[in-house]
Amino acid sequence: MVIVTIRFVGIELFIGHELEFPLYLTYVYSIPGGILMGVLWVLIEWLDERWGLTTASSFKATVALKTFTYFAAFVVVTFFASWLGTGSLEYAVDYTTGPVSISNIIGSFIGAFLFVFFQQMDKKMGPGVLWKLFTGKYFKPREEERIFMFIDLKSSTTHAESLGHLRYSQMIRDCFKELTLPVLTHKG
């Protein structure tokens, strides 16, 4: 509630005049909007994990797709929350396209991009590695005990020759894809 109040007061300073609706309306549509956005966020992540919607995509395509998805969800939630909160479709359209919402929408796009970018970087580098890189853990070398698992594919040359280089490469990627979840689950 404090953040909504601060944001509300900050908006008045940003646009240079008082808003035409009372402060309590901000709470009325912020609460259902926040709940709906949280549910959508979890649903998007769950669908991506369950069906691997972005697994086969490049890093750039994954960041773009997920950023756009979160951005679109924010715009839709902003519209529906203001509509449900006030009961007026006309007000919801005016609010969603007004200067206050435009600044929020731009901020949400930047926030979604940064969130998705760092989330995908963390996935690409391994859980926790990005944070360790930021905090300087790798700045000073140190000795650590590690266990490495090597996987040898029996008759790999024969398989590569019979499948061709593209299908063989896809097979190897599929193997790594299948092994990744058990390794991450057991903190390997």
Side-chain angles (χ1 to χ4, degrees), residues 17-31:
H17 59 81
E18 282 191 33
L19 296 173
E20 59 277 354
F21 53 90
L23 180 61
Y24 77 90
L25 280 181
T26 304
Y27 296 122
V28 169
Y29 61 76
S30 293
I31 292 170

Side-chain angles (χ1 to χ4, degrees), residues 56 164-177:
H165 63 281
L166 293 177
R167 288 181 56 208
Y168 181 74
S169 175
Q170 183 62 49
M171 184 190 77
I172 296 295
R173 280 185 277 153
D174 290 343
C175 287
F176 278 111
K177 183 179 174 185

Side-chain angles (χ1 to χ4, degrees), residues 12-180:
E12 288 182 349
L13 294 173
F14 173 72
I15 62 173
H17 59 81
E18 282 191 33
L19 296 173
E20 59 277 354
F21 53 90
L23 180 61
Y24 77 90
L25 280 181
T26 304
Y27 296 122
V28 169
Y29 61 76
S30 293
I31 292 170
I35 292 169
L36 184 58
M37 191 63 209
V39 168
L40 282 176
W41 202 283
V42 169
L43 182 65
I44 291 166
E45 287 298 315
W46 180 77
L47 288 173
D48 187 32
E49 289 294 322
R50 174 125 175 134
W51 290 322
L53 302 174
T54 58
T55 304
S57 302
S58 69
F59 180 81
K60 181 173 59 173
T62 299
V63 169
L65 178 64
K66 288 184 92 173
T67 298
F68 177 75
T69 304
Y70 290 134
F71 172 70
F74 181 80
V75 172
V76 169
V77 166
T78 299
F79 175 77
F80 280 109
S82 60
W83 185 16
L84 292 173
T86 62
S88 168
L89 182 60
E90 182 181 332
Y91 175 80
V93 171
D94 289 343
Y95 177 78
T96 305
T97 58
V100 172
S101 284
I102 297 301
S103 68
N104 287 340
I105 288 169
I106 291 169
S108 76
F109 179 79
I110 294 168
F113 172 77
L114 291 173
F115 173 79
V116 171
F117 178 80
F118 285 114
Q119 178 190 44
Q120 294 305 310
M121 284 296 292
D122 192 54
K123 281 184 178 180
K124 294 290 182 197
M125 297 176 89
V129 174
L130 185 61
W131 179 250
K132 291 173 186 172
L133 187 66
F134 280 145
T135 57
K137 180 175 179 171
Y138 303 124
F139 186 67
K140 294 181 183 175
R142 65 185 81 163
E143 285 188 27
E144 292 183 358
E145 278 194 42
R146 298 284 182 189
I147 298 172
F148 289 93
M149 179 175 74
F150 293 96
I151 300 174
D152 184 27
L153 180 62
K154 190 174 184 178
S155 304
S156 61
T157 305
T158 307
H159 287 302
E161 289 172 350
S162 66
L163 291 173
H165 63 281
L166 293 177
R167 288 181 56 208
Y168 181 74
S169 175
Q170 183 62 49
M171 184 190 77
I172 296 295
R173 280 185 277 153
D174 290 343
C175 287
F176 278 111
K177 183 179 174 185
E178 292 294 324
L179 290 171
T180 298

